[in-house]
Amino acid sequence: MESPASDKRPIIAIRNISKSFEHGRVVALDNVSTDIYPSEVVVIIGPSGSGKSTLLRCINHLETPDAGTIEVDGVLMTDAANINKVRMEVGMVFQQFNLFPHLTVMENICLAQRVVRKRTLAESSEIALDLLNKVGIPEKADAYPNQISGGQQQRVAIARALAMQPKIMLFDEPTSALDPEMIKEVVDVMLDLARDGMTMVVVSHEMGFARNAASRIIFMDDGQIIEDSSPQQLFNDPKEQRTRDFLGKILH
Amino acid sequence: MGYQAGMIGTQLSNAQKRDWRLVVLAVGVALVLLGYLLPMYPNYITGAQTTYSDNSTVSLSFPTLINRQLYTQTTPPKDAETTAVSIQVGPARYLWGSGFGWLFQALNTNNLEQVASFVTCLLIPLLALIPAAWVLGRAWASPNGLCARSISAAFSVAFFAPAAMLCSWLHQIDFSGLLLALNRPYLLPSLGFWVALAGSILLVVALYGLHRELECQAFTWWALVAAVAIVAWLLVKTKPQPYLEIWQYIEDGIWVTLRIVVISFIFILIVSLLGGLGRVSKSPVIYGIASLYVELLRGIPLMVQLLFIWFALPQLFDALGGLVLRLYGLVDWEFLSSAGVKLQELRLSPFTAAVTGLTICYGAYVSEIFRAGISSIHRGQMEAARSLGMTYMQAMRYIILPQAVRVILPPVGNEFVMLLKDSSLVSVLAVSDLTRRGREYMARTFLSFETWILVALCYLVLTLFASRVVEYIEARTTFES
């Protein structure tokens, strides 16, 4: 694999981001900066309330940062026009899947392609069927979201995001709402994606995925990046005491 | 011997087939059929002579009983009252005057419209036999046993059968207290009537028992609407005067009411969609305007709003027009002069004023329903749509609103029914709607009871029908699962 550091231009450049909720009483992000390079798979871990989801949601502006700048693929996310342009290039997968319950699986995947990308019905259906094959559930094309399992729903959600042909995929705890026996089918799809060279930012405690696919792991606590290193380094020899404590808790 | 809910859809055992309710039902069916074969009304009135207090008399002869509108339409001379009535009777023509015989005779009448209500009364007990026989047939023969829906349908019809029997007899004596007071034995119905009446009562008892046991719905909706419609129709048909005349007078009012309600409702949906979107908007200006509209208009009674639009708005236009003309004096722009004059002369038609008033008032209520519906959709839906690159409006249009509609529909349907009833208030604006037509008729004739009972029945049929339509649409748009 090509070394990320040799690629000079980061695809996501996060500079001095701060974000607080409830009128400054809860600080979610405190002056966070990092770069993410093309084809990198970055896994963000950390205790709940550490700001990892907020950081992820700031990347496609679902949360507006109070201070700092984010540049995605060379586009500064400031005004509304840029935000929609960037969102087309950034796919997002949510913890609660957030499929559209009034549409079939097929319509879920096709809708944004047609409305945003202005593709025809035939084009979008072809792409959708391709992606459904890729995530392994072509037979569920005409099912409604409440008729399929959680694992299948999450795979449809991944296909829906991929249909926009994004350059970056964001995963917000994609396996946390799943029953244990369904986690693997979703992780497998994510591993495939990583192998294909997709740039991924993943908030997850799925250590199997982190070990196998991550090029970098970021440990966050109290709205700050505590440690940012390779999986081998972080799992075997963490530098910070806080990282060690946290890993001790989740790895038994 | 009882039935459990689980028994619906399973074959009945022999012991269950001998259940008293099913036996009574069978006996009831048999008795009704028997009663319709026995003499029911063997004699009927062929002519009548009425004496009035000024010693004048009017004689009439009827070719058949059911042509009797001649009798009721005879009005006494001025300042005279009916003092005595004498009648002539003759034997019935077909099948000893049995129920079937009378139906046969009615079908041979040229003027079917005049006999329609009598035929309906005779037909209802027979119609009740069809679903009742269906229930029996299923219980005995079908592998699927009892069916709650057919029981509920059978009960809905059978419920009216005894009353219909009684009505058929009242037709024979022309709903006339005078004739009843003559106390002639040949005016009373014969054996067949009593047998069929007993049979129809047994139907009701048996079906009620079954319906209690199976906990099925007592009335299907169409039975209710049909019952009200039949009552209204009987009023018009059996007592043609004054009901027929009232009906003819208020009939066009129904169309005016419907037109106002439907047109207003279309505007209300548009206004409240905008209002609802405004109430969930993040822009403080849009939110503020929408909130001001909703809070202000919900706090003022509809009647006051209508009166304001009708009486106060022209004054407002007048003042505004004056202001524009004053401005014209200052800046001397030609178009200001014509605009000012037009504004001063602007008057809303009663119809426009009514639609405007209803739209503005109900728009505020329904906006809140839209707001609640939109905010009931989980935040994640909007986030997912936005993260796919959709704009706020696209997400609303394709994701939020289609889901919100299912939440919004039931309460909006209720508002439609409320609107139908509240539309009676526009009668203060010189709009000739149903209520105003009723008031006009009453002012002319002082027939207050007859007028308002008919107006009330018209509204009742409209609202019952509307709420059923709403229910149907709701059932069609629930989530597939």
mmCIF file of all heavy atoms in Angstrom, chain B residues 446-464:
data_model
loop_
_atom_site.group_PDB
_atom_site.id
_atom_site.type_symbol
_atom_site.label_atom_id
_atom_site.label_comp_id
_atom_site.label_asym_id
_atom_site.label_seq_id
_atom_site.Cartn_x
_atom_site.Cartn_y
_atom_site.Cartn_z
ATOM 1 N N PHE B 446 -92.495 29.970 8.856
ATOM 2 C CA PHE B 446 -92.523 29.694 10.300
ATOM 3 C C PHE B 446 -92.595 28.214 10.619
ATOM 4 O O PHE B 446 -93.026 27.836 11.693
ATOM 5 C CB PHE B 446 -93.675 30.446 10.983
ATOM 6 C CG PHE B 446 -93.536 31.923 10.811
ATOM 7 C CD1 PHE B 446 -94.345 32.597 9.922
ATOM 8 C CD2 PHE B 446 -92.562 32.624 11.508
ATOM 9 C CE1 PHE B 446 -94.208 33.949 9.736
ATOM 10 C CE2 PHE B 446 -92.422 33.980 11.332
ATOM 11 C CZ PHE B 446 -93.250 34.657 10.429
ATOM 12 N N LEU B 447 -92.209 27.356 9.682
ATOM 13 C CA LEU B 447 -92.183 25.922 9.957
ATOM 14 C C LEU B 447 -90.814 25.574 10.568
ATOM 15 O O LEU B 447 -89.977 24.960 9.923
ATOM 16 C CB LEU B 447 -92.399 25.125 8.672
ATOM 17 C CG LEU B 447 -93.795 25.216 8.076
ATOM 18 C CD1 LEU B 447 -93.825 24.589 6.689
ATOM 19 C CD2 LEU B 447 -94.787 24.528 8.996
ATOM 20 N N SER B 448 -90.579 26.002 11.815
ATOM 21 C CA SER B 448 -89.222 25.879 12.351
ATOM 22 C C SER B 448 -88.815 24.429 12.552
ATOM 23 O O SER B 448 -87.717 24.038 12.165
ATOM 24 C CB SER B 448 -89.098 26.655 13.655
ATOM 25 O OG SER B 448 -90.247 26.461 14.419
ATOM 26 N N PHE B 449 -89.679 23.627 13.140
ATOM 27 C CA PHE B 449 -89.282 22.245 13.432
ATOM 28 C C PHE B 449 -88.938 21.497 12.160
ATOM 29 O O PHE B 449 -87.867 20.908 12.036
ATOM 30 C CB PHE B 449 -90.401 21.508 14.176
ATOM 31 C CG PHE B 449 -90.073 20.081 14.458
ATOM 32 C CD1 PHE B 449 -89.243 19.744 15.515
ATOM 33 C CD2 PHE B 449 -90.567 19.067 13.642
ATOM 34 C CE1 PHE B 449 -88.921 18.419 15.758
ATOM 35 C CE2 PHE B 449 -90.246 17.748 13.871
ATOM 36 C CZ PHE B 449 -89.427 17.428 14.934
ATOM 37 N N GLU B 450 -89.872 21.548 11.187
ATOM 38 C CA GLU B 450 -89.672 20.772 9.960
ATOM 39 C C GLU B 450 -88.414 21.233 9.209
ATOM 40 O O GLU B 450 -87.643 20.417 8.693
ATOM 41 C CB GLU B 450 -90.896 20.902 9.036
ATOM 42 C CG GLU B 450 -92.144 20.234 9.554
ATOM 43 C CD GLU B 450 -92.942 21.122 10.508
ATOM 44 O OE1 GLU B 450 -92.377 22.132 10.990
ATOM 45 O OE2 GLU B 450 -94.114 20.812 10.775
ATOM 46 N N THR B 451 -88.208 22.552 9.177
ATOM 47 C CA THR B 451 -87.056 23.079 8.454
ATOM 48 C C THR B 451 -85.752 22.598 9.079
ATOM 49 O O THR B 451 -84.883 22.050 8.402
ATOM 50 C CB THR B 451 -87.068 24.616 8.471
ATOM 51 O OG1 THR B 451 -88.334 25.051 8.012
ATOM 52 C CG2 THR B 451 -85.976 25.175 7.580
ATOM 53 N N TRP B 452 -85.646 22.791 10.415
ATOM 54 C CA TRP B 452 -84.339 22.530 11.022
ATOM 55 C C TRP B 452 -84.050 21.057 11.147
ATOM 56 O O TRP B 452 -82.891 20.643 11.122
ATOM 57 C CB TRP B 452 -84.217 23.257 12.363
ATOM 58 C CG TRP B 452 -84.154 24.733 12.135
ATOM 59 C CD1 TRP B 452 -85.048 25.654 12.564
ATOM 60 C CD2 TRP B 452 -83.180 25.445 11.367
ATOM 61 N NE1 TRP B 452 -84.701 26.899 12.129
ATOM 62 C CE2 TRP B 452 -83.559 26.805 11.392
ATOM 63 C CE3 TRP B 452 -82.037 25.084 10.667
ATOM 64 C CZ2 TRP B 452 -82.825 27.787 10.740
ATOM 65 C CZ3 TRP B 452 -81.317 26.069 10.022
ATOM 66 C CH2 TRP B 452 -81.706 27.403 10.066
ATOM 67 N N ILE B 453 -85.107 20.215 11.271
ATOM 68 C CA ILE B 453 -84.830 18.773 11.310
ATOM 69 C C ILE B 453 -84.261 18.325 9.970
ATOM 70 O O ILE B 453 -83.337 17.525 9.910
ATOM 71 C CB ILE B 453 -86.103 17.970 11.686
ATOM 72 C CG1 ILE B 453 -85.710 16.547 12.112
ATOM 73 C CG2 ILE B 453 -87.078 17.820 10.538
ATOM 74 C CD1 ILE B 453 -85.517 16.425 13.576
ATOM 75 N N LEU B 454 -84.767 18.908 8.893
ATOM 76 C CA LEU B 454 -84.268 18.523 7.574
ATOM 77 C C LEU B 454 -82.858 19.058 7.339
ATOM 78 O O LEU B 454 -81.988 18.340 6.829
ATOM 79 C CB LEU B 454 -85.222 19.019 6.489
ATOM 80 C CG LEU B 454 -85.159 18.236 5.186
ATOM 81 C CD1 LEU B 454 -85.509 16.774 5.414
ATOM 82 C CD2 LEU B 454 -86.101 18.824 4.152
ATOM 83 N N VAL B 455 -82.627 20.315 7.746
ATOM 84 C CA VAL B 455 -81.274 20.882 7.610
ATOM 85 C C VAL B 455 -80.281 20.061 8.423
ATOM 86 O O VAL B 455 -79.192 19.710 7.951
ATOM 87 C CB VAL B 455 -81.259 22.359 8.061
ATOM 88 C CG1 VAL B 455 -79.826 22.874 8.172
ATOM 89 C CG2 VAL B 455 -82.048 23.218 7.081
ATOM 90 N N ALA B 456 -80.694 19.711 9.672
ATOM 91 C CA ALA B 456 -79.802 18.930 10.525
ATOM 92 C C ALA B 456 -79.492 17.590 9.876
ATOM 93 O O ALA B 456 -78.336 17.141 9.874
ATOM 94 C CB ALA B 456 -80.436 18.720 11.898
ATOM 95 N N LEU B 457 -80.502 16.945 9.312
ATOM 96 C CA LEU B 457 -80.273 15.649 8.673
ATOM 97 C C LEU B 457 -79.331 15.786 7.477
ATOM 98 O O LEU B 457 -78.482 14.923 7.262
ATOM 99 C CB LEU B 457 -81.603 15.036 8.229
ATOM 100 C CG LEU B 457 -82.397 14.355 9.341
ATOM 101 C CD1 LEU B 457 -83.776 13.934 8.849
ATOM 102 C CD2 LEU B 457 -81.646 13.151 9.873
ATOM 103 N N CYS B 458 -79.480 16.867 6.721
ATOM 104 C CA CYS B 458 -78.577 17.083 5.584
ATOM 105 C C CYS B 458 -77.125 17.174 6.052
ATOM 106 O O CYS B 458 -76.235 16.518 5.512
ATOM 107 C CB CYS B 458 -78.947 18.367 4.840
ATOM 108 S SG CYS B 458 -80.446 18.227 3.888
ATOM 109 N N TYR B 459 -76.883 17.999 7.096
ATOM 110 C CA TYR B 459 -75.519 18.111 7.626
ATOM 111 C C TYR B 459 -75.031 16.759 8.132
ATOM 112 O O TYR B 459 -73.875 16.387 7.935
ATOM 113 C CB TYR B 459 -75.466 19.136 8.759
ATOM 114 C CG TYR B 459 -75.283 20.555 8.268
ATOM 115 C CD1 TYR B 459 -76.276 21.498 8.447
ATOM 116 C CD2 TYR B 459 -74.110 20.945 7.632
ATOM 117 C CE1 TYR B 459 -76.111 22.800 8.004
ATOM 118 C CE2 TYR B 459 -73.931 22.232 7.187
ATOM 119 C CZ TYR B 459 -74.936 23.162 7.367
ATOM 120 O OH TYR B 459 -74.768 24.442 6.919
ATOM 121 N N LEU B 460 -75.926 16.021 8.794
ATOM 122 C CA LEU B 460 -75.532 14.737 9.372
ATOM 123 C C LEU B 460 -75.080 13.775 8.289
ATOM 124 O O LEU B 460 -74.025 13.127 8.409
ATOM 125 C CB LEU B 460 -76.708 14.143 10.158
ATOM 126 C CG LEU B 460 -76.376 12.975 11.076
ATOM 127 C CD1 LEU B 460 -75.323 13.383 12.079
ATOM 128 C CD2 LEU B 460 -77.632 12.498 11.786
ATOM 129 N N VAL B 461 -75.862 13.688 7.214
ATOM 130 C CA VAL B 461 -75.482 12.789 6.121
ATOM 131 C C VAL B 461 -74.142 13.223 5.533
ATOM 132 O O VAL B 461 -73.246 12.402 5.322
ATOM 133 C CB VAL B 461 -76.568 12.758 5.030
ATOM 134 C CG1 VAL B 461 -76.056 12.026 3.795
ATOM 135 C CG2 VAL B 461 -77.821 12.081 5.546
ATOM 136 N N LEU B 462 -73.967 14.529 5.328
ATOM 137 C CA LEU B 462 -72.713 15.032 4.758
ATOM 138 C C LEU B 462 -71.523 14.692 5.647
ATOM 139 O O LEU B 462 -70.505 14.182 5.178
ATOM 140 C CB LEU B 462 -72.782 16.549 4.554
ATOM 141 C CG LEU B 462 -73.678 17.062 3.432
ATOM 142 C CD1 LEU B 462 -73.631 18.585 3.378
ATOM 143 C CD2 LEU B 462 -73.253 16.477 2.100
ATOM 144 N N THR B 463 -71.659 14.956 6.961
ATOM 145 C CA THR B 463 -70.507 14.735 7.843
ATOM 146 C C THR B 463 -70.225 13.254 8.029
ATOM 147 O O THR B 463 -69.067 12.840 8.053
ATOM 148 C CB THR B 463 -70.714 15.377 9.223
ATOM 149 O OG1 THR B 463 -72.003 14.998 9.701
ATOM 150 C CG2 THR B 463 -70.627 16.879 9.146
ATOM 151 N N LEU B 464 -71.286 12.440 8.153
ATOM 152 C CA LEU B 464 -71.061 10.995 8.282
ATOM 153 C C LEU B 464 -70.322 10.486 7.058
ATOM 154 O O LEU B 464 -69.342 9.751 7.160
ATOM 155 C CB LEU B 464 -72.398 10.260 8.400
ATOM 156 C CG LEU B 464 -72.998 10.158 9.799
ATOM 157 C CD1 LEU B 464 -74.351 9.476 9.755
ATOM 158 C CD2 LEU B 464 -72.068 9.414 10.720
#
